[in-house]
Amino acid sequence: QVQLVESGGGMVQAGGSLQLACTTSIRTFSTYTVGWFRQAPGKGREFVATINWSGDMTSYADSVKGRWTISRDNAKNTVYLQMNSLKPEDTAVYYCAASVLRRGFPTTEYDYWGQGTQVTVSS
């Protein structure tokens, strides 16, 4: 059973920062594209950022571009989402997801999902 585990969520004031981490037991994790998504109360899930298997290609939603950075450490089987200049509208449950290499980059098809971590930004 493949598991993705998100951590690092919490409550922060507007303008603050948080770093989310997505870790996994997948031994071939270094070959996966990884994406971060979020779902705010009463809204659908939306794409936030994604990174390819080697970490040299990334893509961001316009709403977070310039504020957030996705990165990965394949030696630690971990992908990070550094979130700076947080806004109340960033409040959501954040999920990481992994896509097998054959789907290419970027992709809209993800094979594995984590359970999510809550991020709350107060004004």
Side-chain angles (χ1 to χ4, degrees):
Q1 180 74 9
V2 173
Q3 283 190 316
L4 298 177
V5 180
E6 302 93 340
S7 62
M11 184 176 293
V12 65
Q13 288 190 328
S17 298
L18 283 174
Q19 185 183 65
L20 305 184
C22 173
T23 59
T24 179
S25 59
I26 306 173
R27 287 195 294 175
T28 57
F29 188 62
S30 61
T31 67
Y32 284 68
T33 289
V34 175
W36 283 98
F37 296 79
R38 67 185 179 185
Q39 187 165 18
K43 296 187 177 180
R45 186 172 60 199
E46 67 171 342
F47 164 77
V48 173
T50 184
I51 189 166
N52 75 326
W53 68 275
S54 62
D56 62 350
M57 289 196 290
T58 59
S59 180
Y60 298 90
D62 287 343
S63 58
V64 307
K65 201 173 294 183
R67 297 191 296 132
W68 298 3
T69 303
I70 189 172
S71 62
R72 68 190 300 160
D73 184 341
N74 285 337
K76 295 183 178 180
N77 268 14
T78 302
V79 171
Y80 303 97
L81 184 66
Q82 178 64 43
M83 307 186 295
N84 300 328
S85 303
L86 282 159
K87 304 175 181 179
E89 52 263 43
D90 295 320
T91 295
V93 177
Y94 284 74
Y95 300 89
C96 69
S99 176
V100 296
L101 183 63
R102 63 180 171 82
R103 299 195 190 279
F105 182 88
T107 180
T108 58
E109 298 181 69
Y110 285 83
D111 302 280
Y112 306 107
W113 291 83
Q115 294 300 307
T117 185
Q118 176 71 46
V119 171
T120 302
V121 185
S122 60
S123 58

